[in-house]
Amino acid sequence: MKEKNVILQPAKKNRRKIIRSIIQLIVVLFLAVVLIKAVFLTDKRFAEAVPLNNKEGFIALSYFGVSRTDSPKYVSKKNLEEQLTLLEKQGYQTITQKDILDFYQKNKPLPEKALFLSFEDGRTDSSIFAQNIMEKLNYKATMFTYANKMDTRDQKFLKPKDLKLMEKSGYWELGSNGYRLTYINIFNDKGQSLGMIDENNIPNKTTIEYYNHYLMDFIRNQYMIPSETRQEMEIRIKKDYKLMQDIYQQEFGKVPKAYAIMHANSLYNNMDPLVQSANDKEIKDKFLMHFNLELSAYNDRDSDLYNLNRLQVSPYWSTNHVMMKIRQASNQNVEFKIGDPALAQKWHTINGAAEFDNNKVTLTSAPSSEGRILLKETMPQQYNVGFTFKGNVVGEQAFYVNYDDKTNSYLRIALIDNELVVSEKLPASDIVEKARFPLNEIKWNEEEYAFNKATVYTYQDTQKGSRIVEEEYPRNLRKNRVFNIAVNKDKINIDVDNVLSETIQINPSLHGSQIGFGALFSHKDTSHEQYADDIYDTLIEDILITDRKDQTIFTNQYTNFEKVKYKSTTLFNHVVDFFIETF
């Protein structure tokens, strides 16, 4: 009926059209400004004169891609800016490919805090969303590219004219990921061989269980027996490097100095020695350096120029997570992001790092240990606490009650791999589990399981079927869990999502009067997944602590005005994202 009324009222219908057109025009203009700024590169980088006194080494960060807002695959523009801005504030200065060559070949020192920054896959969005940040910080980065993307119509990838403008601006250098991204020796989840397929033509990546990259192995048959001789393999690999070389020579008159092979970590580690030898010969013939390894951020004086490290930043890592990884790899004195100093002042950080931003607290653990914060405010005997845990399911997100810092005693309520686990630690005693409650199962898409699929495997491996274990969750899977906890003198009532409700008795030996939160990585064996590490972020939102008279003891919840502002910004971002994806 409502739809019919609209049709019968042309004036109302026209008003809606006008409003929709105005919104579309605003969004298009906004995007045009962003694109013009990014594509025409109106600013030119200036070289800074800095002291060169570092003879130890440098950190290297790599970003697979950059998106305008949060994405499961790419780091958001906001997170990229936060991470790089914090590094720049601490004195990290970007170095060039020539600086690295001079460091290893001529013993020339680097800036005290040297950073090699790179973006992979030659993605257009990485250039667009990173450019303003680079200009603001006067940073320089290497854009690694695939040679065979140069003459395609796929606008997701930068073309030679774009890359030449980027080089000319001074903010970018050119690197290579090789000629192509093609998979070989592919097996699906039914153990069937699919042969060789270009990355863009794979029908459904969720069904792919095993594969290797074009340069990483012999081409093998359905039984994983080589279907080419050593000579044929060497000719194939040599041809691939020659195709790459010809395109760069034709478009740029040179081959980039830096190479980052696809896939990382295999060369010089666990690949067939004959294939390794063929790659090694071509790489050293055509490139001057090679970033072969991932997951570590530091390269020291003794690192191999053809086996360098770079840390590929995962999209779900917080800024402090990246800082913690850098500190872990380099032992450098790294600062962490605090956020709102007024809110931070109300908390005491026992271990790890904490960022306080509006209605959200991000608590990051130190490697292989728990991050922990305590509210400085003393709690009464009876009070209510509400909050939302929004960290990854795989890991430990904890809430502490009756905490006594002097005796290190407490009651601990934790989300551990989608179970609610209640434990207690009495003075001078070990922690003891009191109760465990399973939570409702979480639905998730198989694409979220980040398998380490490109690896060494046998025919027997390929016949085992899907490696997804139903009771396990992907490390990057998030789930909101809303907690409401009533604390009494002798017991606590715990409610999770208005579904699980439990009462736990409090041991009379627990006399503490503080509350706190904790973050700890999962000890589960997830070696079949990529990006697993021993640092964990928990996100705690909308904390509200009240006494029994409903008087607020502490809160970081939005006011009504802030909530409207947040929702409006979120809506606008969704509209812009829709237009970017659609047009």
Side-chain angles (χ1 to χ4, degrees):
M1 192 69 181
K2 287 182 180 178
E3 203 173 320
K4 190 174 181 180
N5 286 339
V6 172
I7 295 171
L8 294 175
Q9 298 177 45
K12 189 173 182 180
K13 186 178 180 182
N14 289 335
R15 279 199 303 272
R16 289 189 177 184
K17 277 186 176 180
I18 292 169
I19 292 170
R20 187 166 61 247
S21 298
I22 291 172
I23 292 173
Q24 290 174 350
L25 179 61
I26 291 171
V27 172
V28 169
L29 288 174
F30 169 78
L31 293 176
V33 170
V34 172
L35 290 170
I36 289 170
K37 180 67 174 173
V39 174
F40 288 97
L41 301 168
T42 53
D43 294 333
K44 191 171 179 66
R45 184 177 183 270
F46 60 91
E48 295 178 276
V50 297
L52 303 178
N53 50 20
N54 172 8
K55 296 183 179 181
E56 303 299 321
F58 64 96
I59 65 168
L61 295 184
S62 168
Y63 293 87
F64 179 65
V66 186
S67 60
R68 208 186 70 83
T69 54
D70 290 334
S71 161
K73 288 186 68 176
Y74 310 121
V75 173
S76 71
K77 179 183 176 183
K78 176 178 178 290
N79 286 352
L80 176 68
E81 184 165 15
E82 285 182 358
Q83 292 162 16
L84 297 186
T85 299
L86 185 54
L87 288 171
E88 192 271 343
K89 181 183 174 185
Q90 297 176 61
Y92 281 91
Q93 294 164 318
T94 49
I95 56 175
T96 65
Q97 297 170 24
K98 184 178 184 302
D99 292 331
I100 293 174
L101 292 172
D102 288 347
F103 176 71
Y104 286 109
Q105 296 175 345
K106 299 180 181 179
N107 204 30
K108 185 177 178 180
L110 298 167
E112 182 180 356
K113 289 189 172 182
L115 163 65
F116 179 77
L117 180 62
S118 63
F119 297 83
E120 304 203 22
D121 276 15
R123 296 185 59 86
T124 303
D125 46 13
S126 295
S127 169
I128 290 173
F129 297 126
Q131 182 62 37
N132 288 345
I133 301 168
M134 306 280 284
E135 292 176 6
K136 188 185 301 183
L137 302 177
N138 200 38
Y139 267 10
K140 186 162 189 164
T142 289
M143 178 63 76
F144 287 105
T145 58
Y146 286 104
N148 75 333
K149 302 294 185 185
M150 298 289 182
D151 60 351
T152 67
R153 293 184 179 182
D154 192 341
Q155 295 306 309
K156 292 196 302 290
F157 299 98
L158 294 159
K159 300 301 180 280
K161 60 181 177 60
D162 307 315
L163 293 163
K164 288 173 184 176
L165 279 173
M166 290 165 65
E167 276 194 296
K168 190 175 180 181
S169 75
Y171 291 100
W172 300 91
E173 291 185 284
L174 191 59
S176 178
N177 283 129
Y179 175 66
R180 71 177 87 193
L181 180 54
T182 297
Y183 300 150
I184 61 173
N185 307 331
I186 303 172
F187 285 80
N188 65 16
D189 54 359
K190 295 179 176 61
Q192 298 169 327
S193 173
L194 304 182
M196 177 172 66
I197 310 176
D198 186 75
E199 193 264 350
N200 289 332
N201 297 327
I202 290 181
N204 185 354
K205 291 184 181 179
T206 63
T207 65
I208 302 299
E209 284 299 311
Y210 294 92
Y211 64 77
N212 222 318
H213 288 284
Y214 189 76
L215 300 175
M216 293 291 100
D217 199 2
F218 281 90
I219 292 177
R220 300 174 183 270
N221 65 15
Q222 67 268 33
Y223 302 108
M224 284 296 287
I225 298 171
S227 57
E228 59 183 354
T229 65
R230 175 181 178 177
Q231 184 180 25
E232 288 170 336
M233 174 272 293
E234 290 174 344
I235 291 172
R236 171 176 61 86
I237 288 177
K238 183 173 183 177
K239 180 181 178 181
D240 210 64
Y241 281 98
K242 182 66 165 59
L243 288 169
M244 176 274 303
Q245 181 184 37
D246 289 347
I247 289 175
Y248 283 119
Q249 287 285 3
Q250 178 183 329
E251 298 293 346
F252 303 97
K254 62 182 179 182
V255 174
K257 298 184 186 75
Y259 181 50
I261 199 168
M262 186 61 66
H263 70 278
N265 303 318
S266 287
L267 190 64
Y268 313 126
N269 288 291
N270 58 7
M271 67 186 300
D272 185 287
L274 297 177
V275 180
Q276 174 178 297
S277 177
N279 276 279
D280 181 71
K281 182 177 182 299
E282 294 300 323
I283 291 169
K284 289 177 178 175
D285 178 62
K286 293 174 175 60
F287 299 99
L288 299 179
M289 71 182 74
H290 176 207
F291 285 87
N292 178 49
L293 302 171
E294 285 179 358
L295 305 181
S296 181
Y298 193 66
N299 296 282
D300 62 20
R301 163 57 63 190
D302 297 324
S303 294
D304 184 343
L305 193 52
Y306 284 96
N307 197 22
L308 295 172
N309 285 290
R310 86 270 198 197
L311 175 67
Q312 191 169 80
V313 179
S314 291
Y316 61 87
W317 288 354
S318 71
T319 295
N320 284 340
H321 195 128
V322 178
M323 300 303 124
M324 198 70 77
K325 294 288 284 187
I326 292 172
R327 190 177 77 171
Q328 179 185 27
S330 67
N331 292 320
Q332 293 177 351
N333 185 22
V334 178
E335 295 178 20
F336 296 101
K337 187 176 182 185
I338 295 172
D340 185 337
L343 278 174
Q345 192 62 34
K346 297 178 184 292
W347 296 83
H348 176 50
T349 302
I350 301 295
N351 190 29
E355 178 187 351
F356 302 86
D357 180 27
N358 296 319
N359 69 327
K360 179 174 68 178
V361 179
T362 304
L363 177 58
T364 303
S365 74
S368 299
S369 64
E370 185 184 47
R372 193 179 296 175
I373 56 173
L374 296 179
L375 186 65
K376 294 178 181 178
E377 182 80 24
T378 300
M379 295 294 105
Q381 283 194 338
Q382 295 182 322
Y383 58 95
N384 297 317
V385 182
F387 59 86
T388 301
F389 275 141
K390 301 185 79 170
N392 291 352
V393 173
V394 178
E396 299 189 18
Q397 306 177 80
F399 175 64
Y400 291 89
V401 299
N402 284 42
Y403 197 106
D404 187 337
D405 196 19
K406 293 181 181 178
T407 62
N408 191 28
S409 59
Y410 48 75
L411 187 73
R412 185 176 190 261
I413 304 156
L415 280 178
I416 302 178
D417 302 335
N418 203 40
E419 291 186 311
L420 185 70
V421 181
V422 181
S423 310
E424 69 177 13
K425 186 180 184 306
L426 303 180
S429 299
D430 294 330
I431 189 166
V432 177
E433 184 176 313
K434 288 173 66 73
R436 181 180 290 258
F437 309 101
L439 297 171
N440 56 298
E441 291 298 312
I442 303 169
K443 293 181 180 179
W444 49 277
N445 191 315
E446 289 182 359
E447 288 184 348
E448 298 181 78
Y449 225 95
F451 277 136
N452 186 12
K453 297 180 180 179
T455 184
V456 175
Y457 51 96
T458 66
Y459 173 71
Q460 287 72 27
D461 292 329
T462 67
Q463 300 307 296
K464 293 176 182 177
S466 174
R467 286 180 287 170
I468 293 176
V469 182
E470 289 185 3
E471 58 269 22
E472 288 187 3
Y473 294 101
R475 277 191 175 269
N476 60 340
L477 177 68
R478 286 187 174 175
K479 172 67 176 177
N480 297 354
R481 295 291 188 187
V482 179
F483 279 72
N484 284 288
I485 299 173
V487 181
N488 297 280
K489 185 177 180 180
D490 59 348
K491 64 181 179 180
I492 58 172
N493 298 314
I494 307 169
D495 180 276
V496 183
D497 295 335
N498 291 321
V499 174
L500 184 144
S501 182
E502 299 291 340
T503 299
I504 303 293
Q505 299 300 314
I506 297 178
N507 193 306
S509 299
L510 295 175
H511 301 299
S513 57
Q514 286 183 281
I515 65 104
F517 291 96
L520 181 64
F521 79 108
S522 175
H523 292 80
K524 275 189 173 183
D525 178 16
T526 54
S527 56
H528 56 281
E529 277 197 88
Q530 294 174 328
Y531 311 124
D533 67 271
D534 57 357
I535 297 169
Y536 179 78
D537 296 316
T538 186
L539 284 75
I540 312 131
E541 285 193 1
D542 295 326
I543 303 170
L544 175 62
I545 307 174
T546 59
D547 61 21
R548 282 307 166 90
K549 296 180 180 178
D550 282 335
Q551 297 296 309
T552 300
I553 299 172
F554 173 86
T555 187
N556 67 347
Q557 293 182 342
Y558 280 127
T559 64
N560 288 334
F561 173 75
E562 290 169 336
K563 193 177 293 184
V564 170
K565 180 182 175 183
Y566 171 76
K567 288 184 176 180
S568 300
T569 303
T570 303
L571 177 62
F572 176 77
N573 284 332
H574 285 326
V575 172
V576 174
D577 289 340
F578 169 78
F579 276 89
I580 289 175
E581 293 171 7
T582 305
F583 303 107

